[in-house]
Amino acid sequence: MSHTPVNKGAHQTSHQDLHSEQGSLRGEHHGRARNPVIKVADLAWLEFEKPDLDRAEVFARDFGFAIVARTDHELWLRGTFEGSPCMVIRRGRASRFLGPAFRAAERADLDRLARTTGSTVRDIGVPGGGQSVALLDPSGLPVRVVHCAERLPALPEQEPLILNFGTDHRRTNATQRPPREPSRIQRLGHVVLETRTFARTLDWYLDTLGMIVSDFLFLDGQRGRGPTMAFIRCDQGSRPVDHHTLALHLGPGTGYVHSAYQVTDLDSIAVGGEYLAERGYRRSWGIGRHIQGSQLFDYWRDPDHFMLEHFADGDLFSCDLEPGWAPMSASGLAQWGPPVTRDFLGTNPSPAKLREVMTALRDDNELDPARLLGLMKAMSS
């Protein structure tokens, strides 16, 4: 397994001039597996069920997706970049997240993964055809690893604005009037998941899918018990990739928190946000710039209450960078922007949330009263 117990008497390692003020202590989690089964190349798409595909399609267009295919039972969404779709929404009785699909680097990885896990390689009904291996992570969340037979061609881009900086004047005798239109999604960037079995789930993604940690967050006074959040990227060697493709955090719930979709620039985020607001959608939090990952962000709720993020200008890391360590806090989520909202943090009190907490405390998992109190303190600090 990837986890290494903490040596509480160890000294802090040097971590100057990197992406986080702190590095690991001796004996803490390395943030990667020595011999993973495979190394996934990227997040392919996310899978949802919703009862109203017409309503889902209206929001998808307003948020900035393009439509790949639409039937009575499925809606496939994409961005402008070449590659795979971003999302599939299937008709179902209730709105729910079904799970993520990760892209295998090679077709042979599916065979290796199937042999190791005792699974089967099956054909899937993705536009253009493809195959997948279906797995369950330790949280019980379905996870696919896919290889698509065909790649979707690129679509026209929303061009970035030409900006003037100080004495660097790139635009003269021309005005800036970006049209009021949806932010044009380029690609799926990342998904954030909540789990009651953080350590086991983290190790599964590292050991099975070959992902590596960019940053760990820990609770105040509880670092010796290990991290409670991890920002995880794909390992493509010297090729830089997104700071995080997956983020996991300990909590009373299990499953989807939000997903993020790259757009061109800050103007695309802002104008697209105005477009969404005019159509009655609700902003959850934004606009601002994150600390872990550095991306510009803007969070919205769709009609089924799922949270989606427009982002731009995120960090890119190669495999050489070691994990950073930082205390978890609400104030540490952004470098600038409006105060973080209770809606984004998921701390709005409700009977459903209370039942979720009570169930988690009764079950056999990693959430105990000390962890819960530490999380509550972090989200109010």
Side-chain angles (χ1 to χ4, degrees):
M1 297 296 290
S2 303
H3 182 65
T4 305
V6 175
N7 178 355
K8 295 184 178 179
H11 64 279
Q12 183 168 322
T13 59
S14 174
H15 210 256
Q16 294 179 348
D17 301 323
L18 293 181
H19 54 100
S20 179
E21 293 182 0
Q22 300 182 46
S24 64
L25 304 178
R26 186 176 299 145
E28 284 185 317
H29 203 301
H30 296 299
R32 62 186 70 199
R34 291 186 176 88
N35 188 28
V37 178
I38 65 169
K39 292 184 177 182
V40 293
D42 204 352
L43 190 59
W45 63 77
L46 303 178
E47 302 187 4
F48 294 84
E49 274 188 357
K50 295 185 178 184
D52 190 338
L53 293 189
D54 291 334
R55 185 175 69 174
E57 182 176 349
V58 170
F59 174 80
R61 293 184 185 277
D62 288 342
F63 195 73
F65 291 105
I67 309 300
V68 181
R70 169 71 196 269
T71 70
D72 289 340
H73 302 287
E74 287 187 342
L75 173 64
W76 286 87
L77 309 177
R78 64 162 296 177
T80 58
F81 283 5
E82 176 190 10
S84 66
C86 291
M87 185 186 297
V88 56
I89 303 173
R90 299 187 175 92
R91 189 183 301 279
R93 292 183 177 180
S95 295
R96 65 188 184 113
F97 177 59
L98 299 178
F102 292 87
R103 179 168 61 86
E106 301 176 356
R107 169 60 183 79
D109 286 343
L110 296 187
D111 296 323
R112 184 179 305 111
L113 188 61
R115 286 195 306 270
T116 304
T117 62
S119 305
T120 304
V121 179
R122 301 186 185 277
D123 292 335
I124 51 173
V126 60
Q131 294 181 306
S132 77
V133 173
L135 306 168
L136 283 177
D137 76 10
S139 298
L141 183 70
V143 176
R144 288 184 190 265
V145 178
V146 303
H147 187 271
C148 296
E150 297 181 12
R151 294 175 64 84
L152 299 172
L155 297 177
E157 288 290 331
Q158 196 170 34
E159 294 297 328
L161 297 185
I162 299 172
L163 304 180
N164 290 328
F165 300 97
T167 59
D168 181 8
H169 300 157
R170 305 182 185 186
R171 177 176 51 84
T172 59
N173 296 328
T175 59
Q176 296 276 43
R177 301 291 187 270
R180 188 68 61 89
E181 62 182 5
S183 305
R184 203 170 304 176
I185 301 299
Q186 295 176 326
R187 64 184 180 93
L188 168 62
H190 64 259
V191 63
V192 179
L193 303 175
E194 184 174 355
T195 173
R196 301 170 186 172
T197 56
F198 173 80
R200 286 195 288 127
T201 302
L202 169 65
D203 285 343
W204 185 87
Y205 282 97
L206 307 190
D207 294 334
T208 309
L209 304 188
M211 306 182 81
I212 56 180
V213 175
S214 298
D215 280 289
F216 284 117
L217 300 184
F218 58 88
L219 296 177
D220 183 39
Q222 298 188 34
R223 181 167 180 170
R225 296 189 63 185
T228 50
M229 186 165 188
F231 296 87
I232 310 163
R233 67 189 186 275
C234 297
D235 182 359
Q236 294 199 31
S238 61
R239 179 183 178 185
V241 300
D242 286 340
H243 171 271
H244 56 285
T245 299
L246 169 68
L248 293 173
H249 72 79
L250 177 67
T254 297
Y256 181 90
V257 178
H258 77 257
S259 53
Y261 304 85
Q262 181 177 292
V263 300
T264 301
D265 57 14
L266 179 58
D267 277 277
S268 176
I269 291 175
V271 174
E274 292 296 311
Y275 186 91
L276 288 168
E278 288 173 353
R279 278 149 185 80
Y281 299 109
R282 181 164 62 87
R283 175 179 270 126
S284 179
W285 182 36
I287 298 171
R289 186 180 283 276
H290 278 306
I291 294 179
Q292 276 78 25
S294 303
Q295 70 268 27
L296 298 161
F297 65 81
D298 195 20
Y299 293 91
W300 293 84
R301 293 284 184 180
D302 77 0
D304 297 279
H305 204 62
F306 289 108
M307 190 190 302
L308 293 86
E309 174 191 1
H310 285 142
F311 81 93
D313 190 34
D315 291 337
L316 300 174
F317 286 2
S318 70
C319 69
D320 306 306
L321 224 56
E322 296 181 357
W325 288 72
M328 178 183 282
S329 70
S331 60
L333 290 171
Q335 300 176 47
W336 58 262
V340 64
T341 64
R342 295 175 68 91
D343 179 70
F344 176 83
L345 294 174
T347 56
N348 284 327
S350 69
K353 177 64 68 175
L354 182 59
R355 286 194 299 270
E356 191 176 65
V357 170
M358 297 304 296
T359 299
L361 290 175
R362 286 195 301 265
D363 288 348
D364 181 18
N365 55 58
E366 297 168 29
L367 192 73
D368 55 33
R371 284 303 218 192
L372 179 60
L373 289 173
L375 288 168
M376 293 171 62
K377 179 182 177 182
M379 292 303 97
S380 62
S381 63

